[in-house]
Amino acid sequence: MADEIIKVILVEDNPGDAFLIQELIKEVNTAKVELETVEKLSQAIKILADDTSGGLSSPFDVMLLDLSLPDSQGLDTFVRANRETKAIPIIVLTGMDDENLALRAMQEGAQDYLVKGQVTGDLLVRSMRYAIERQRIEEALRHSEERFRVALKNSPIFVFNQDTDLRYTWIYNPITGWTIEEMLGKQDSEIMSEQDVQCLTAIKYHVLTTGTGTRQEVSINTPLGIKYYDLTVEPLRNESQEIVGITCACIDISERKLAEAKIREQAALLDITTDAICVRDLENKILFWNKGAENLYGWQADEATGENATELLFREPSQEVEAALLNVISQGNWQGELNKVTKAGKDIIVASRWSLVCDEQGRPKSILSVDTDITQKKHLEAQLFRTQRLESIGTLASGIAHDLNNILTPILAGAQLLPLKFPDADERTQHLLEILEINAKRGADLVKQVLSFARGVEGKRITLQVKHLIVEVAKILKETFPKSIEVYTDIPGNLWMVSGDSTQLHQVLMNLCVNARDAMPNGGKLTISAENLLIDENYARMNLEAKQGSYIMVSVADTGVGISEENLDRIFEPFFTTKAIGQGTGLGLSTVLGIVKSHGGFISVHSEPERGTTFKVYLPAVAGSEMPICDNFIPPPGHGELILIVDDEPSIQDITKTSLETHQYKALVASDGVEAIALYAKNADKISAVLMNIMLPVLDGLTTIRTLKKINPQVKIIATSGLISKNKLNEIVNTGANSFLAKPYTVNELLLALHEVMI
């Protein structure tokens, strides 16, 4: 400013005074002033009007104005000049030394009031510079306020100030439904509900007392309805920096909040479903992954998003998947069954439905897929198909056996009559006749085995105690099996009785034990055990061959080579064998199955390659003198205890939760180890026991048990699994589980296990 040229228009009718003012300005060495003098106010107004008629700014920076002019006198001179020349600051320079006049001139907008004879050149120049700078600041402020006004006009921003009593002192752009007149000078309590006042007052007083601004989302019940605002509150200070109030800005975010609420509602609906919902773009990158997908596949949403769906969910690309992609893009939808893999490496089968999603222009943009876990359903179907296949094979075998009997009967009869017909035959002929008779009998025995598989052998049924058969078989095994095979038995004294043929059941045990021996060529351990079992509706639902009622379960377990997965489905088929030629007919297990089914029972088998095989024979029990009353013990119901169920199978979650709630327990459900830990940490003081499946996605059961034990060393844990080896069972015990419950389990077994761990 000091180096700028100041352009001044002097309105003065006295030549002497005009000359004196020029000389005063020249005395100031730093002043660079261009001065133009006129004698009348009308001349000055005309000059300024002509110079700004084109819309340009005034060529003068400041006006020096005398109040006594030929065409105007007194304060009216300034009022007229100020009205007609608003773009230029005016300094009154007059001979009238009147304080009241000076005050009135300043109130009307004069930049300064100087008296001739009392002013120096330095004072005059400084006054002009100050007037010009102040004019510029005020002009900039006006432009800023205008920009602010334009920016706020029709915007969702509401700005206001309040004093320390929280009375509104300034309001701009009210968008709340209240007018400026309704708000100015009032407090929130005079226009708002009590609930809104409490919330806002707490926020505002916090800023007043701490001097620290804040930003929060608030809801206010306005005349326009409930509105949501992003509220920013800052302290308002004066020039000595004292807090004199607050300044606030409110941004209307009601539409955004409603949209967020709708999105949350939709997301919640998507997460409620147990189906896995996934959205992926046309390049197969995952865009959306719901809670059901997390539970089914094990990957959390942040892990799956952005990943290639095929690489994540399939072991390898297949023609089936490629065909599905082409079908959904060309026709808009596809559905079918797919084999997929979880994060834990578990193979599952899903019923998958794909739909093509298009944008507003109808162009394809993504694919929505909904997957339903049908693994258990497919396993049950496979179990049913296997049963039907065996029945079909049995029908076929029965027909063949009937024909073979017709063929073998005359052969065997002839083989027995020929030695009598030719008593003097030579030794070689006699030997050939013996071979003929022996092999005819073997053929007849073979046919009997086929018939026992096909339609069962009725035999003579009596009420018998299976433990006596087990003791007898174990004695034979110890005398005849190699010493490298250790034989153990585990039979409770209160084992229930069955109705059966002792010879046939003896054959069942011997066949299973001989197979176990053959599976342990280098020795091992053979264990025969038995136990009482009550099968309820839940258990029966998990096994198609089981029915509700009392059973005894006889287990034959070895530590041999095991059975491969591809052979496991065929081991009960007649004539199927993995033994070398000449070492087996393939009728041993089919005969076992036929006998067990004829007794109204069923068989299950579990095998791990190189770890051994366990056959479990289930036979219906009958009431007898040795059936103790204590085995009918039903654990007492719960008293509202909260049980955490941790299992990745939705059907088992539902069955177990329903069973517990039916018996007065409460239940929480987690689908993996991470979710289980989070739920337990949140509800540790409420959870009485944890039912923990060992095979879990994301975080396995053993690691989860260790973590829960760190959170609470006293936590009661019942481990469960349907596929557990002896080594794994030992590891479970060492980890800290209080009990183990093998799948499938009955409600009674579950309640008993809970009762025992919580005593």
Side-chain angles (χ1 to χ4, degrees):
M1 182 70 190
D3 295 332
E4 293 181 7
I5 297 176
I6 303 175
K7 297 179 180 179
V8 182
I9 182 169
L10 173 61
V11 187
E12 176 59 67
D13 64 332
N14 187 324
D17 288 344
F19 176 77
L20 181 60
I21 291 170
Q22 285 181 327
E23 292 301 315
L24 288 173
I25 293 173
K26 289 179 181 179
E27 291 178 358
V28 183
N29 295 330
T30 59
K32 295 180 180 179
V33 178
E34 292 182 1
L35 186 66
E36 182 174 337
T37 305
V38 296
E39 296 181 353
K40 295 181 179 180
L41 179 60
S42 57
Q43 292 176 305
I45 292 173
K46 185 175 185 308
I47 291 172
L48 292 173
D50 291 342
D51 288 337
T52 58
S53 60
L56 301 175
S57 60
S58 171
F60 296 100
D61 298 312
V62 67
M63 174 187 290
L64 298 178
L65 177 65
D66 188 8
L67 296 182
S68 297
L69 297 173
D71 56 350
S72 183
Q73 293 290 320
L75 186 62
D76 288 341
T77 304
F78 174 78
V79 173
R80 180 182 169 193
N82 192 43
R83 184 175 64 247
E84 301 290 343
T85 60
K86 285 187 176 294
I88 185 171
I90 301 174
I91 298 174
V92 174
L93 182 58
T94 181
M96 293 185 285
D97 187 3
D98 186 334
E99 290 184 3
N100 290 330
L101 181 61
L103 179 60
R104 291 169 59 197
M106 296 293 288
Q107 289 174 341
E108 290 290 340
Q111 295 289 343
D112 206 348
Y113 189 95
L114 302 177
V115 180
K116 297 175 185 178
Q118 298 179 7
V119 66
T120 64
D122 185 62
L123 175 61
L124 181 57
V125 171
R126 279 193 286 109
S127 179
M128 288 191 294
R129 285 175 176 164
Y130 174 77
I132 294 169
E133 187 64 27
R134 183 176 176 185
Q135 178 76 0
R136 289 178 179 174
I137 292 173
E138 290 176 350
E139 186 67 21
L141 182 60
R142 280 195 298 273
H143 285 304
S144 176
E145 288 179 344
E146 179 62 18
R147 286 194 299 270
F148 183 63
R149 186 189 67 79
V150 171
L152 288 182
K153 188 178 182 181
N154 300 322
S155 75
I157 303 178
F158 165 40
V159 185
F160 60 88
N161 290 347
Q162 288 177 289
D163 59 21
T164 54
D165 293 328
L166 296 184
R167 294 187 180 276
Y168 290 92
T169 57
W170 176 77
I171 300 169
Y172 194 86
N173 198 36
I175 53 174
T176 56
W178 291 294
T179 64
I180 294 177
E181 291 73 19
E182 289 174 323
M183 299 180 73
L184 275 177
K186 295 181 180 178
Q187 295 176 313
D188 292 334
S189 59
E190 299 179 67
I191 57 175
M192 297 181 187
S193 68
E194 183 179 352
Q195 183 177 358
D196 291 343
V197 170
Q198 290 178 352
C199 174
L200 292 174
T201 301
I203 295 172
K204 293 172 181 178
Y205 268 127
H206 175 77
V207 175
L208 284 173
T209 54
T210 64
T212 304
T214 187
R215 180 180 178 182
Q216 297 188 34
E217 289 186 3
V218 297
S219 63
I220 302 175
N221 192 358
T222 74
L224 302 178
I226 295 178
K227 292 286 186 178
Y228 293 89
Y229 297 100
D230 185 341
L231 173 65
T232 301
V233 184
E234 295 289 342
L236 191 63
R237 304 175 187 271
N238 59 16
E239 295 180 358
S240 59
Q241 291 300 303
E242 294 176 330
I243 296 177
V244 294
I246 55 172
T247 183
C248 308
C250 292
I251 301 177
D252 190 341
I253 56 172
S254 301
E255 291 186 5
R256 190 193 83 192
K257 296 294 286 187
L258 290 174
E260 288 176 351
K262 186 175 181 180
I263 291 172
R264 283 195 299 271
E265 180 180 347
Q266 292 173 341
L269 290 174
L270 291 177
D271 280 340
I272 287 173
T273 178
T274 57
D275 289 336
I277 300 177
C278 169
V279 178
R280 60 190 190 276
D281 62 21
L282 299 183
E283 295 180 353
N284 225 19
K285 293 291 187 296
I286 295 173
L287 306 175
F288 174 78
W289 189 260
N290 81 327
K291 190 70 175 177
E294 292 182 345
N295 294 336
L296 178 58
Y297 294 113
W299 284 282
Q300 298 301 300
D302 57 350
E303 295 177 299
T305 303
E307 295 295 322
N308 185 290
T310 301
E311 295 175 359
L312 192 72
L313 299 173
F314 297 91
R315 291 198 181 277
E316 56 185 23
S318 65
Q319 292 182 348
E320 185 181 19
V321 176
E322 295 297 327
L325 284 170
L326 291 175
N327 198 77
V328 75
I329 291 175
S330 61
Q331 300 186 23
N333 58 75
W334 175 88
Q335 62 179 11
E337 294 180 3
L338 294 172
N339 293 295
K340 294 189 176 183
V341 64
T342 68
K343 184 178 181 180
K346 177 183 176 183
D347 291 304
I348 61 172
I349 306 171
V350 298
S352 193
R353 302 170 296 283
W354 297 5
S355 299
L356 188 66
V357 181
C358 300
D359 60 18
E360 295 177 353
Q361 286 72 40
R363 294 173 300 202
K365 67 173 185 178
S366 59
I367 297 172
L368 168 69
S369 63
V370 181
D371 292 350
T372 304
D373 186 5
I374 58 172
T375 307
Q376 187 178 16
K377 175 187 174 186
K378 298 300 288 186
H379 286 170
L380 291 175
E381 286 180 357
Q383 192 178 16
L384 177 61
F385 293 153
R386 183 165 58 248
T387 302
Q388 291 173 339
R389 185 173 73 247
L390 290 173
E391 288 176 353
S392 299
I393 294 173
T395 302
L396 176 62
S398 177
I400 295 173
H402 181 269
D403 291 341
L404 285 174
N405 262 339
N406 291 338
I407 295 171
L408 288 171
T409 298
I411 294 175
L412 181 58
Q416 292 172 338
L417 288 173
L418 282 174
L420 300 175
K421 193 76 173 175
F422 303 99
D424 299 328
D426 57 61
E427 185 177 345
R428 177 174 174 77
T429 302
Q430 292 287 345
H431 181 63
L432 288 174
L433 292 174
E434 289 176 4
I435 292 174
L436 179 62
E437 182 179 359
I438 290 170
N439 281 279
K441 288 181 178 179
R442 289 183 64 188
D445 290 339
L446 193 62
V447 170
K448 287 181 181 179
Q449 290 191 49
V450 172
L451 285 174
S452 70
F453 158 76
R455 63 191 182 208
V457 181
E458 290 299 326
K460 185 179 180 181
R461 302 293 169 84
I462 60 172
T463 299
L464 57 87
Q465 178 54 263
V466 176
K467 69 180 177 182
H468 300 318
L469 291 178
I470 297 175
V471 170
E472 181 182 341
V473 168
K475 182 179 179 182
I476 296 172
L477 299 182
K478 290 177 181 179
E479 293 174 351
T480 59
F481 276 15
K483 299 300 180 183
S484 59
I485 296 178
E486 302 176 61
V487 180
Y488 296 90
T489 59
D490 182 10
I491 314 167
N494 58 355
L495 192 65
W496 296 334
M497 304 179 78
V498 300
S499 176
D501 185 299
S502 61
T503 302
Q504 293 175 14
L505 295 180
H506 186 279
Q507 185 181 0
V508 167
L509 291 173
M510 285 302 299
N511 281 3
L512 293 177
C513 291
V514 169
N515 280 351
R517 178 202 64 189
D518 295 341
M520 298 184 288
N522 300 319
K525 183 178 178 181
L526 173 61
T527 304
I528 309 173
S529 59
E531 64 178 85
N532 299 327
L533 179 66
L534 282 171
I535 291 182
D536 60 10
E537 182 184 0
N538 289 346
Y539 190 107
R541 284 173 62 185
M542 296 184 221
N543 191 316
L544 290 177
E545 297 178 322
K547 297 179 181 179
Q548 286 183 255
S550 303
Y551 285 75
I552 68 162
M553 187 273 289
V554 180
S555 171
V556 177
D558 65 63
T559 57
V561 295
I563 305 171
S564 65
E565 188 174 350
E566 58 268 21
N567 290 333
L568 207 55
D569 281 344
R570 302 191 60 195
I571 58 175
F572 292 108
E573 294 180 6
F575 307 113
F576 176 80
T577 180
T578 58
K579 297 177 182 179
I581 295 175
Q583 294 184 9
T585 62
L587 288 171
L589 286 178
S590 61
T591 301
V592 166
L593 179 62
I595 293 172
V596 172
K597 290 182 70 174
S598 72
H599 282 72
F602 60 96
I603 301 176
S604 69
V605 58
H606 170 64
S607 185
E608 293 183 65
E610 306 306 324
R611 289 197 172 185
T613 302
T614 300
F615 284 90
K616 292 182 178 180
V617 177
Y618 298 82
L619 298 170
V622 295
S625 58
E626 295 188 32
M627 182 178 286
I629 298 176
C630 62
D631 275 324
N632 291 324
F633 169 70
I634 299 177
H639 298 88
E641 295 95 335
L642 183 62
I643 310 300
L644 175 58
I645 304 167
V646 188
D647 203 294
D648 60 327
E649 291 289 346
S651 58
I652 295 178
Q653 293 175 359
D654 294 341
I655 290 171
T656 309
K657 186 173 187 292
T658 301
S659 299
L660 290 175
E661 291 176 346
T662 302
H663 291 82
Q664 285 74 58
Y665 286 95
K666 294 180 181 178
L668 283 176
V669 176
S671 300
D672 56 58
V674 173
E675 187 179 0
I677 292 168
L679 280 175
Y680 188 82
K682 185 178 180 181
N683 302 278
D685 58 331
K686 303 174 186 175
I687 294 174
S688 299
V690 180
L691 191 65
M692 176 70 65
N693 186 27
I694 298 303
M695 305 295 287
L696 291 173
V698 184
L699 192 68
D700 66 272
L702 293 178
T703 305
T704 306
I705 291 173
R706 294 189 188 98
T707 306
L708 294 182
K709 284 289 185 180
K710 289 182 179 179
I711 296 175
N712 177 15
Q714 306 304 318
V715 60
K716 305 296 184 182
I717 298 177
I718 302 173
T720 71
S721 180
L723 302 170
I724 287 295
S725 63
K726 194 67 175 179
N727 293 337
K728 200 72 171 179
L729 189 56
N730 292 334
E731 188 177 355
I732 291 171
V733 173
N734 294 333
T735 301
N738 301 83
S739 179
F740 177 75
L741 192 59
K743 292 181 180 177
Y745 49 77
T746 65
V747 174
N748 208 45
E749 289 173 326
L750 173 60
L751 296 176
L752 183 60
L754 285 172
H755 178 70
E756 289 175 348
V757 300
M758 293 193 299
I759 290 177

